[in-house]
Amino acid sequence: MLDLKFIRENPEIVKQAVRDKNEKADVDEILKLDEERRKLLSEAEALKAQRNKASQEIGKLKKEGKNADEAIAKMKEVSERIKELDEREKKVEAKLKELLLWVPNIPHESVPRGKDETDNVEVRRWLPEGFNFEKKPFVKDHLELGKSLKILDFERGAKISGSGFPVYVGKGATLERALINFMLNYHIANHGYTEIFPPFLVNSDSMRATGQIPKLRDDMYYAEKDDLFPIPTAEVPVTNLHRNEILTEDELPIQYVAYSACFRREAGSYGRESKGFLRVHQFNKVEMVKLVKPETSYDELEKIVSDAEDILKALNIPYRVLLLSTGDLSFSAAKCYDLETWSPAENKWLEASSCSNFEDFQARRANIKYRDSQTKKLKFVHTLNGSGLATSRLMVSLLENNQTEDGKIIIPEPLRAYAGFDVIE
RNA sequence: GGAGGGGUGGCAGAGUGGUUGAAUGCACCGGUCUUGAAAACCGGCGUGUCUUUACGGGCACCGGGGGUUCGAAUCCCUCCCCCUCCGCCA
């Protein structure tokens, strides 16, 4: 959420952001409601001041045993008028708040302006020793590998839950678990994160705070009976850990890493990159979340990207880093890098991580502040998160890049101790 | 799911309709004292919002929402959360 005062003072910047992000929030309507609300407020508050004063007088009169009927009758009228104004003000405010939730965050000045993902900018790429993009003739895709090695079962997943719910079998299941543990331990040991194991179902306040609702509501699963949402990412519960809290400056930066299953309806995306692991309704992800002081958040963003890259380097997986253009930038983000891993079978890059700085956009919704030691004032923290990483897309690259001519999978060295085997055959 | 108890400022904890935004203690900040520190003493110390060039002023907030009243932390309704006991259960 943006600061209403900021919108009031910089409507053109906000409108530009709405256009750049291909959103359709009605800034003019917001400004109109804002003005109306303030007008109603000042009128109602003047009357309340009058009423408060009179009520004190009445209290005094009664204490002295004097008659206060006249004053009471007069205030009764004033109270009626206040009630009327309050009701109108509340209606306007509710509408205003609803509209505000649809205003996207403003892209950072360093974000390239563009209409969609085709305008994203490749920042760098990293390729293992001796790697080349030439497709070897024996290369199978992850579906074929999963089937021939009996480590992935999409058909039975579809039977028990529907398409997009893969089942990991045998060494496939173990490898998935090894990958998760490796990534968690790596971030804890080398990057200074504290592990969180969060709830996988959260309430609507949490979903609103991180920005999933209202905009992405249809992409979320929902347990109506209990008013709970299965999380689309650990970002939601972990960022919300400190919702409505005032942190001390010396607690910052806070760095959490969390594994969670992630649940996404992916409504309307059928047929689009939906093969196998490329788009699923449930997947596993290790997520990094940071709460930091505003002045450090862009440095922290670079660090979080590099933390995710370290995993890919350790696993020897070819990847590239993209800086998203305004048109591809998510609703809540001010700046975002994607990490894409190479799939030799698909002959293309696959998004495996997304690292974003939300500045104070989420903190404002979640009401997460800290007290600045210099000014003694409360300020909103900046929040960031990055996948470190999502296993499904990563698994595609991992399997495909490590297959041998005779159809085996060589397990990358760092995962062997976790998996307990060196090869899948 | 059933029965009972409870949610007040950073924390602890008073307060049951009329100068209570809220006693008191702790914590915190400034000062006096001290070579320094501690103790003691003095003073300060919530958030949001509206208004004002500014100083300041208004309003709201005692878990959330609604109601009664001239007036609500205090009374009523409703929801949420926490604790204890019972039931069920991985």
Side-chain angles (χ1 to χ4, degrees), chain A residues 2-9 30 34 37 96 100:
Chain A
L2 295 179
D3 183 7
L4 184 54
K5 212 176 279 172
F6 179 87
I7 300 177
R8 199 183 295 151
E9 286 161 11
I30 286 170
D34 171 48
R37 175 177 164 268
L96 180 61
L100 270 177

Side-chain angles (χ1 to χ4, degrees), chain A residues 206-221:
Chain A
S206 297
M207 293 291 270
R208 198 168 294 109
T210 32
Q212 280 71 26
I213 56 176
K215 201 209 156 190
L216 300 171
R217 186 167 224 135
D218 286 346
D219 268 320
M220 304 300 145
Y221 287 101

